[in-house]
Amino acid sequence: QMSNHSSITQFLFLAFADRRELQLLHFWLFLGIYLAALLGNSLIITIIACDHHLHTPMYYFLLNLSVLDLGSISTTVPKAMANSLWDTTAISYTGCAVQVFFFVFLISAEYIFLTIMAYDRYIAICKPLHYGTLLGSRACVHMAAAAWGSGFLYTVLHTASTFSLPLFQGNALDQFFCEIPQILKLSCSGAYLREDGLVVVSFCLFFGCFLFIVMSYVQIFRVQGWHKAFSTCLPHLAVVSLVISTGIFAYLKPPSIFSPSLNIVVSFLYSVVPPAVNPLIYSMRNNELKNAI
């Protein structure tokens, strides 16, 4: 038992496995996923930056999304790989705070970009004559700056609030990276309230974005018809649904549902899977990107 957070110098992650062969298997699995994400996202960034035909709002936002994907998977996976390889589960207190900050920043900014991309599709399909005026280059830069900026401010509040709590319940996290719900579990319940308030505000904001995305798609479906709209918008909807459902479960599940393996699977689905599959999802049905490649 630790008396307070000042005496905690490190946190301990949940060990993936006790046996060395299984630890190495986790290392190779994570390495494969990480390299696929690096390759896919770097390829998309390079193609969009180099091909002037792709200098449109849609690809500008996709470029930002790929940068965020690269950042978010690089925040969690390399540390998990190193721990599996060196047979350790520790991360320093500062390292944990840095990991929380960057992960929350990149994931929240990514979610805002997914919302902007839904708006971009809505204008392109439902109001094509206004596309040039509503999504000119200046408007796109402003929207991107707002997404990065609001993600940053939101994260500063969240991280400061989480790491100012006194931690009385030891230093073991049931997770493979530093995740806010896991750190909150180590604090005494009374200190929770301020961070709980932030979680509720976050949920409202994220749900508002989700409603906006759904409404955009309802309009697109009405204009294009279900079949055509579904084939063009399915990738985006799939990514948004995965991030939202698993994120909500991780942050708002009742304490009675306690299962370390379930925690890991859920967080894997929202932290590791989207950055790895986004390049595939966005380029698979996209002839312009295929031609550019």
Side-chain angles (χ1 to χ4, degrees), residues 33 37 97 105 114 125 287:
I33 293 169
F105 170 45
L114 287 171
I125 292 164
N287 290 324

Side-chain angles (χ1 to χ4, degrees), residues 181-182 248-259 262-263:
Q182 296 300 323
I248 286 174
F249 185 81
Y251 279 78
L252 296 176
K253 74 171 190 298
S256 56
I257 306 176
F258 175 74
S259 162
L262 184 66
N263 283 344

Side-chain angles (χ1 to χ4, degrees), residues 32-264:
I33 293 169
Y34 186 53
L35 289 177
L38 284 185
L39 183 70
N41 286 297
S42 302
L43 193 63
I44 283 185
I45 291 165
T46 310
I47 289 163
I48 293 173
C50 296
D51 190 333
H52 65 91
H53 294 115
L54 300 180
H55 292 180
T56 63
M58 181 175 125
Y59 292 107
Y60 173 69
F61 296 135
L62 184 57
L63 178 115
N64 277 274
L65 192 74
S66 292
V67 170
L68 290 162
D69 276 337
L70 269 183
S72 68
I73 200 165
S74 298
T75 306
T76 55
V77 170
K79 179 64 182 165
M81 278 162 46
N83 281 5
S84 288
L85 191 60
W86 307 124
D87 191 16
T88 174
T89 58
I91 186 170
S92 69
Y93 186 85
T94 311
C96 189
V98 168
Q99 200 177 53
V100 164
F101 179 84
F102 279 104
F103 182 69
V104 174
F105 170 45
L106 295 161
I107 282 284
S108 52
E110 176 165 339
Y111 189 62
I112 299 167
F113 270 105
L114 287 171
T115 311
I116 293 171
M117 286 165 85
Y119 175 71
D120 169 71
R121 294 295 78 215
Y122 163 69
I123 298 296
I125 292 164
C126 302
K127 297 186 185 315
L129 299 177
H130 299 283
Y131 192 77
T133 49
L134 287 172
L135 282 158
S137 54
R138 184 176 287 183
C140 289
V141 171
H142 286 166
M143 286 159 91
W148 285 91
S150 50
F152 181 79
L153 285 173
Y154 167 76
T155 308
V156 168
L157 276 172
H158 231 18
T159 314
S161 169
T162 302
F163 283 91
S164 62
L165 296 174
L167 306 176
F168 295 109
Q169 313 286 329
N171 64 343
L173 304 171
D174 294 320
Q175 196 48 274
F176 69 91
F177 67 97
C178 285
E179 190 187 45
I180 287 177
Q182 296 300 323
I183 297 164
L184 292 184
K185 270 168 53 178
L186 304 179
S187 69
C188 58
S189 54
Y192 250 61
L193 292 171
R194 180 182 51 205
E195 178 58 23
D196 269 1
L198 260 178
V199 169
V200 170
V201 170
S202 311
F203 176 71
C204 294
L205 289 172
F206 278 63
F207 191 67
C209 287
F210 185 63
L211 273 181
F212 181 83
I213 291 169
V214 169
M215 283 160 64
S216 301
Y217 279 118
V218 168
Q219 295 299 324
I220 290 169
F221 287 149
R222 281 172 60 185
V223 169
Q224 271 201 332
W226 278 93
H227 183 70
K228 192 180 177 195
F230 212 67
S231 64
T232 53
C233 303
L234 186 63
H236 191 237
L237 269 177
V239 175
V240 171
S241 305
L242 181 71
V243 172
I244 271 281
S245 55
T246 49
I248 286 174
F249 185 81
Y251 279 78
L252 296 176
K253 74 171 190 298
S256 56
I257 306 176
F258 175 74
S259 162
S261 51
L262 184 66
N263 283 344
I264 283 191

